[in-house]
Amino acid sequence: MRFAVSTALAIVIMTPSVGAAETLSATKYDKNKDGVLDENEALVWRLHVQDPMLAKYDVNLNGRLDPAELERLRADSATSFSDRSRSVANDVLFFKNRKIADIDKVASSRPPPAVPAEVKPPKGGCENQQRLFVRRDRLDTYQYREGTFITGFVPKSKAKGASASFTHDDLDRSNSATINGRVSYVISQNDPMSPCFTGLPDDPYAKHDFKAPSLFGTTVALWTDAQGTINSPRTKNEKSALKAGIDAQAAIAGGPFFDLQYLIASPYAQTDFRGEARIYGVTAAWEPFAPNARLGGTIGAPATKYLDWFWQLRAEADVKRVDVVGATALTRGDYAWTGAVARLHLTPFPDRSVYDPFGESLFPDLVGRFYADITVNYHREFNRGIEALLWGAEVGFNITPDGTASISVSYTDGLDKDTLIKQRQYLVALNYKL
Amino acid sequence: MRVAKGKKAKPAKKQKLAMTADFAGMAGSFISRDEIYHRLEWYFDHSHNPKGPHAIDPNTPIDAFFQGMDPSTARKVLWVNINKISSTYVPAWKSALFHGVQFPWTSKPNVAIGLRDIQSFGNLIDSAVLTYEHFGWHVS
């Protein structure tokens, strides 16, 4: 043990100084304070310039390490070694007893070490956090949640954007405008994921009862939603819906069945692009997450190496009163819809490299390329006895490995509750996601 | 006041049992970083062999484990899910997978690494080690 410590010290001391402090001031080496360095003083100064380690521990400036100084160096070295060993302890456990060739292969492609990143308030203060959202529809914004707390709020790369188009036909002397978009403004957000949240206890280990559901964040947002077309002169097939409302959203964490649940209530007023329709309503939605049942997503390894899957469920209730029909397909009176949307996601040949980088993939070229999903919308209207069942299936192939570009074939069949128009259509689409 | 010998001994026995039960739940024990590493690997991949080599690279970004879920929601779900692990919630390896210790959500320098702040699987191991130590365990 003593030999090891001595050897370590020798290595530390004999190591050539890299980036030595050539600007080391000579002031403190003028031990007799006569304003000049004599030969011995200059010798010690140059030794210290040459070896910063000696400069640090040779406190009596005699140019060598005395026993007391060596003891201090040994103690510091032991402490430093302990800290540094702890910082690489996980890597040591991961790489020990591996073949050199395998280690080199994995180590060459692994990401750099990451340090925990404590949540920082956004630049300019919490009053400047993102509040305005422009998206395609409510599914792109309804939870107003962050992609990551580092990069910002609702991830733009996942959301679809709003679109608007205007056509002027000089021969027909007609104009047409189509708008599909939703603008939301968050007026209150109390999300523990947000760096602006201050409602958590100071003690990180404060006991939390995860068996009982508890409120874990709220959001209130104003929104206006426009979907449809307006023509001039007016045509028979013109359909549009212009809604304005409030989303009141609560996240519930814990409970016996679900890990996380989102509850969203949205009172709204609806008209059309001409301002003729008068419709009022409230939508209530519930979306649960339970990864152990693969509901809402999964945390962990794929179900099998051949196929991974998860499913989503969103229960909804939509109550509305139609006073004036306007440019919609609805009829006058009350509608009370209840139902749900369920979607099954299938991913053949999922990526297992995260769970065993030393393992071999089944079909490396097909990992993450194919996907398929099945969606079922079922809603029942109680006042009029209408049942709206709309289902669809889609199969796709990711042209690029990261899924930025894909080609898909989909089939949709059934009755859309929002338009009461029956659909049966095939669609081949080239998809692009940024 | 005179008390019969038999009556005096009975309450003393009850008190001793109660204290033993309380301390048994609080004292903690010994565990190695290696075993915590294996337990976390098993949590994410039930096919993991705790007697074999470690399979998950500690430098793996934590987002890589959130398949099909957006990272923000997944972090919350992970925090709830990992703290609910028990012999009844999941047929977990060796009953309570993390011995009832509760992972923190927020961080505190040198005391806690919160799941809100972890960036990699290695950060999660470090968080677990600090958590075990906080709850009185000796981590070697």
Side-chain angles (χ1 to χ4, degrees), chain B residues 2 7 9-10 14 17 19-20 29 31 39 50 60 71 73 77 82 94 105-106 112-115 131 136-137 139-140:
Chain B
R2 292 180 66 186
K7 287 183 180 176
K10 202 172 180 181
K14 273 187 178 175
L17 280 174
M19 284 179 66
T20 305
S29 188
I31 192 168
R39 285 174 180 267
T60 306
T73 299
V77 169
I82 204 166
K94 288 186 181 177
W105 173 246
T106 56
I113 300 172
L115 296 196
T131 301
W137 288 68
V139 182
S140 56

Side-chain angles (χ1 to χ4, degrees), chain A residues 38-53:
Chain A
D38 59 28
E39 187 175 344
N40 281 338
E41 291 169 341
L43 173 63
V44 173
W45 174 55
R46 291 317 297 170
L47 286 172
H48 282 198
V49 168
Q50 193 180 49
D51 188 346
M53 195 64 75

Side-chain angles (χ1 to χ4, degrees), chain A residues 143 145 210 252-262 286-300 308-314 343, chain B residues 43 65 67-69 73-74 76-82 84-85 89-90:
Chain A
Q143 291 179 356
R145 60 195 179 192
F210 291 97
I252 310 293
F257 302 111
F258 305 105
D259 292 344
L260 194 70
Q261 303 168 72
Y262 281 100
W286 171 66
E287 187 168 350
F289 292 83
N292 282 337
R294 310 191 85 79
L295 173 59
T298 60
I299 292 178
D308 194 21
W309 63 275
F310 71 94
W311 62 296
Q312 290 178 288
L313 177 68
R314 178 184 167 86
R343 175 171 291 168
Chain B
Y43 173 74
F65 300 92
Q67 300 178 59
M69 220 185 295
T73 299
K76 294 176 190 173
V77 169
L78 173 64
W79 175 61
V80 178
N81 194 291
I82 204 166
K84 280 169 74 176
I85 283 290
Y89 186 62
V90 161

Side-chain angles (χ1 to χ4, degrees), chain A residues 86-94 110-116 354, chain B residues 33 36-37 40-41 44 56-63 65 103 113-115 117-130:
Chain A
R86 193 178 170 93
S87 71
V88 296
N90 298 329
D91 279 347
V92 172
L93 291 171
F94 179 61
R110 69 199 301 249
V115 294
V354 168
Chain B
R33 176 182 286 263
I36 292 173
Y37 195 153
L40 282 166
E41 285 178 301
F44 284 111
I56 299 179
D57 188 335
N59 283 9
T60 306
I62 199 69
D63 288 5
F65 300 92
F103 287 62
I113 300 172
L115 296 196
D117 303 329
I118 59 172
Q119 300 300 307
S120 66
F121 184 70
N123 292 164
L124 182 60
I125 298 171
D126 293 337
S127 172
V129 168
L130 280 177

Side-chain angles (χ1 to χ4, degrees), chain A residues 405-425:
Chain A
S406 64
I407 189 167
S408 64
V409 181
S410 63
Y411 174 75
T412 308
D413 191 351
L415 185 67
D416 181 7
K417 83 169 180 68
D418 292 327
T419 61
L420 291 183
I421 296 173
K422 195 161 176 54
Q423 300 179 16
R424 184 174 293 164
Q425 61 184 33

